[in-house]
Amino acid sequence: MFRQKKPAVTVSIPRAALEAIFDECDRYNADETGGRLLGTYRGKGAQYDVKVNGVIGPGPNARRSSTSFFQDGDYQEQVFRAIEARHPDVEHLGNWHTHHVNGYPTLSGGDITTYRNIVNHRNHNTDFFYALLVAHKNPGGGQRYDVKHFFFRRGDDTVYEIADRNVEIIDAPLLSTGQAEPEDGGYGRAAPDGSGHRGPPTVREGTANPERAKDREFFADFYPSLKALFSEKIGAPYWKGPLTLVDGSTIEIVAVEGAGTEARDYTILTSPDDKTCSDTVAAYKGRTFPAARHAVLNLERDLNRALYRKR
Ligand SMILES: [Zn+2]
C-alpha cells in the first residue's frame, strides 16, 4: 500500500465545548466518561481544518467503569439528528473521552483499535476521525483538565497527535437542538453495533413526490457520497455530502426540498465555512430547482467553470 502524506491538521474548539466536557468529567470521579464532537471541517489533500461547534454527552444509558466506557448510541443519534435538522452542514467529527480517573496519559490500545475501526467503517461519514482525550485533572487552577488531540485517517494506521499550537480555543456559542431534552421522534437510527456510525439513510416518503425516487436512483448511481436524510424540522427529505470539484477539492453541499408547497422546489447551499467560489455559491441563494439532482448538477458545473477560469 502506498504511503500517505502526513496530514496537517488544525482544530478550533469553543471554550464552551471544553467547559461542557470538563463539567461532565467533574461528575465522574471514578469512572471514564465521554461523548461525541460535532462541527464542520475542510479537507484538501493532506490539510484538514476541523471546527468543533457542538458536544453531545454520553447519554442516559452509557456504561462505564474506571477503565472502559460505552456511549449511549441511540441517545446520541437522536441528539445529532435534532441538531442536524437545524444545522444541516454539521458532521460527526469524532469523540471525546477521559482518562483522568485512571491516569493513563494517552490513548489506550483499545481506544486506538476502536477509532481505527470507526474511521475505516464503510458507513463512517468522513475519511478522518478526531479524538479528544482528557488526560488529567489540574488541581492548581488554570484550565481544569489537560486535553490532548488525536487524528485518525481512513486507510492509514498512524495515530497523529495534533500539537497544541495547532489547536485554537475560541469564544463561540455551541450548537444546540433548540429544545431542552431530545424528543424521541423516532427519527435517526444508531448503527446496530452502537458505534455511532450512521445507519442506512432514513428517508420517509411524505406526500408522494416522484422526483424523490428519481433523485435517489441518480445519486446512488453517480454521487454515492451524497446521502439522503430527513429533517423533522422542515418535514422534508434533503441530500447532503461532499462534492468533488475539478481541482480535486471538495465542498460540502446540502440540497433541501421546500416544505409544504405544491411545487416542492429544491434549493442548494454549501457550508458557510466554505469559501470556495463564494460568488458562484451566492448566486444560488434563493434559486430553486425542480429536483435535487438538478440543483446539484447546476452548482457543480458552475463551480467547476469558476475554478477553471481562476487558474
Ligand atoms: Zn481510553
Side-chain angles (χ1 to χ4, degrees), residues 169-192:
I169 298 170
I170 58 170
D171 287 305
L174 293 182
L175 299 186
S176 74
T177 58
Q179 54 202 33
E181 289 290 314
E183 287 166 4
D184 186 82
Y187 52 94
R189 273 178 284 169

Side-chain angles (χ1 to χ4, degrees), residues 32 97 99 108 111:
E32 284 198 12
H97 79 291
H99 282 175
S108 69
D111 294 333

Side-chain angles (χ1 to χ4, degrees), residues 42 59 81 145 159 162 172 175 185 210 229 245 248 267 276 281:
R42 285 192 54 133
R81 295 295 180 205
Y145 293 85
V159 180
I162 306 167
L175 299 186
L229 299 163
L245 300 176
T267 53
T276 311
V281 171

Side-chain angles (χ1 to χ4, degrees), residues 184-216:
D184 186 82
Y187 52 94
R189 273 178 284 169
D193 61 359
S195 60
H197 301 127
R198 291 187 184 184
T202 52
V203 176
R204 279 192 212 167
E205 303 296 331
T207 44
N209 175 358
E211 296 301 336
R212 290 181 191 167
K214 288 190 202 165
D215 277 343
R216 206 162 35 241

